[in-house]
Amino acid sequence: MKTLLRLLLKSQHQRNRSGPAQTEKGMTLVELLVGSIMAFLIITPMLTFVVDMLNTDRREQVKSNTEQDIQAAADFISQDLSQAIYIYDNNPATTSTPTTTPTGIPAIRSQLPAPANGTPILVFWKQQPRKNSIPYNPKVAETVKPKTCDTNPGKCDDTYVLSLVAYYQFKETDPNSIWCQPSGGTCPTRIARYEITDGIRNPNAASIADLYYSDTETKDTQRRDPAFNPDFDFTKPTVNVTVPTELTKPQSGATKPQVLVNYIDHTKNSDTALLGTECRTALGNPIDQRTATPIGETTLKVTDTEGINSFYACVNTEKNIARVTIRGNSLRRIQANDADFKTTSSAFFPITTVQVKGLGGYGK
């Protein structure tokens, strides 16, 4: 009995020393709601700021990419034009206009590639170098041919061949095309290049039939494009430009456009219209030396038929000068809609211009 009483007293004493029982207390529903609202008010502006910053960064990036792309395209065209011997303007005269000498693209349109939705903007003849490609004398030519010049050092010379170069502006109509991404909306336009090249001619040919080396004596790059017309003469620059029946042959460069740059602006509105005197002003109000009269804007300016004017050329054929202008569209890289040119967003439509004088004459 004493032992039991002692245990009860000891237990009571321990409870008194441990103090009152502790209770756990959490957040009330009101406190949780207030905290959530405060977090929302703080985090939402921060997220909006981050999203805006990312969108701005993305726009600046595509703007920079577009500027670089069109500048690279302009540089390529400039280098190409520097070898030009004859540049076609937009003179509307044709062979059926006896009072005016045909000099322009309209006179040779039927002799150029005719791709769907493509418009020729810049067309010219150039000299294309062919290094170490022709035996340097008839004696060497008996055993060495253009195809084997590389394996016979010191026995061949460099030469040149003629090339007809044409830059086209293509308007894409397929919204699912790789050239129209992101899909939907109006597709951007693009610039592509065609080249139709002569082959290496045999200086020792005994007849016209032997004008060119045979296929067994040449490499692919040394052979004549089937659409190249051997009868072309610079004194008649709109005659025998190509062999029209061969323009669709798969072996011809006329069927192999090389895309130079995409995302060229597609917009046609009042903001993209030209003033009407750009080319005359840019080229210094040129005078036709044959008639001593000013060359008209219509003759100098070569642009698309729809008035987009995002890729056009000002050409003075007499002086062998061309001024090329390209306008890109960086907005179309990231959005299918609301990507038309506006003066308020002109920063996203970079423009570059190059003016080049060609060689000035065949063989110069």
Side-chain angles (χ1 to χ4, degrees):
M1 187 67 180
K2 290 181 180 180
T3 302
L4 179 60
L5 183 58
R6 191 180 296 112
L7 289 174
L8 289 173
L9 291 173
K10 185 177 180 180
S11 176
Q12 181 65 31
H13 177 70
Q14 288 178 344
R15 283 200 299 270
N16 291 337
R17 291 183 60 188
S18 63
Q22 300 293 323
T23 59
E24 295 184 0
K25 184 178 180 182
M27 295 180 65
T28 66
L29 183 60
V30 174
E31 291 174 332
L32 184 61
L33 182 60
V34 171
S36 299
I37 293 174
M38 292 181 64
F40 176 80
L41 293 176
I42 295 173
I43 294 175
T44 299
M46 293 180 63
L47 287 177
T48 302
F49 172 75
V50 171
V51 170
D52 288 344
M53 185 173 63
L54 291 175
N55 285 336
T56 300
D57 182 69
R58 186 184 181 196
R59 287 189 170 211
E60 289 300 321
Q61 185 62 49
V62 297
K63 175 185 171 184
S64 176
N65 290 343
T66 303
E67 290 174 346
Q68 292 175 9
D69 286 350
I70 66 169
Q71 186 59 56
D75 291 344
F76 184 91
I77 293 174
S78 176
Q79 184 176 6
D80 215 10
L81 270 173
S82 67
Q83 300 298 315
I85 299 169
Y86 184 94
I87 310 172
Y88 291 94
D89 58 22
N90 199 43
N91 186 345
T94 64
T95 53
S96 61
T97 313
T99 58
T100 306
T101 303
T103 59
I105 292 177
I108 64 171
R109 189 67 182 86
S110 62
Q111 302 179 71
L112 296 177
N117 304 312
T119 303
I121 302 296
L122 182 64
V123 182
F124 57 92
W125 289 96
K126 66 174 287 188
Q127 287 183 327
Q128 190 73 278
R130 290 288 184 263
K131 293 185 177 298
N132 195 38
S133 295
I134 187 169
Y136 64 76
N137 64 39
K139 182 66 175 176
V140 172
E142 293 177 1
T143 56
V144 178
K145 305 301 178 184
K147 186 176 183 178
T148 59
C149 279
D150 290 340
T151 57
N152 289 275
K155 294 185 178 182
C156 294
D157 286 333
D158 299 340
T159 188
Y160 288 90
V161 296
L162 280 180
S163 285
L164 178 68
V165 177
Y167 286 90
Y168 278 62
Q169 182 172 22
F170 281 85
K171 183 179 180 182
E172 185 57 59
T173 57
D174 181 4
N176 297 315
S177 167
I178 60 171
W179 306 112
C180 190
Q181 299 300 320
S183 60
T186 304
C187 298
T189 68
R190 64 185 182 275
I191 299 173
R193 179 182 185 271
Y194 291 92
E195 184 170 6
I196 299 173
T197 308
D198 194 10
I200 295 178
R201 303 192 182 196
N202 185 353
N204 305 309
S207 65
I208 296 297
D210 299 324
L211 183 61
Y212 294 95
Y213 287 96
S214 68
D215 287 353
T216 59
E217 298 172 325
T218 55
K219 297 181 289 187
D220 289 344
T221 56
Q222 298 171 331
R223 297 170 191 158
R224 179 179 69 89
D225 187 301
F228 185 92
N229 196 327
D231 295 328
F232 175 74
D233 185 346
F234 278 105
T235 62
K236 299 178 180 179
T238 60
V239 180
N240 295 324
V241 176
T242 63
V243 182
T245 56
E246 302 291 321
L247 289 172
T248 57
K249 293 293 180 66
Q251 303 94 329
S252 174
T255 62
K256 302 172 183 177
Q258 297 177 325
V259 175
L260 192 64
V261 61
N262 194 26
Y263 296 106
I264 302 304
D265 190 26
H266 60 273
T267 310
K268 177 187 176 182
N269 57 32
S270 58
D271 291 332
T272 63
L274 299 178
L275 298 176
T277 58
E278 286 85 1
C279 290
R280 282 191 50 77
T281 301
L283 298 179
N285 299 311
I287 302 296
D288 188 329
Q289 300 302 317
R290 296 164 299 180
T291 62
T293 58
I295 303 176
E297 185 77 8
T298 302
T299 294
L300 297 172
K301 186 184 299 176
V302 188
T303 188
D304 67 282
T305 57
E306 297 187 20
I308 298 174
N309 300 315
S310 57
F311 175 43
Y312 68 92
C314 299
V315 178
N316 184 341
T317 296
E318 287 189 355
K319 293 188 176 181
N320 207 36
I321 295 175
R323 180 183 177 90
V324 179
T325 300
I326 305 173
R327 183 178 72 248
N329 185 335
S330 59
L331 289 181
R332 191 58 184 80
R333 288 176 177 264
I334 56 175
Q335 58 195 52
N337 300 306
D338 194 25
D340 288 353
F341 178 87
K342 301 182 184 70
T343 54
T344 54
S345 58
S346 59
F348 294 97
F349 297 82
I351 298 176
T352 187
T353 299
V354 293
Q355 182 166 316
V356 182
K357 180 175 176 58
L359 291 176
Y362 182 55
K364 295 183 181 180

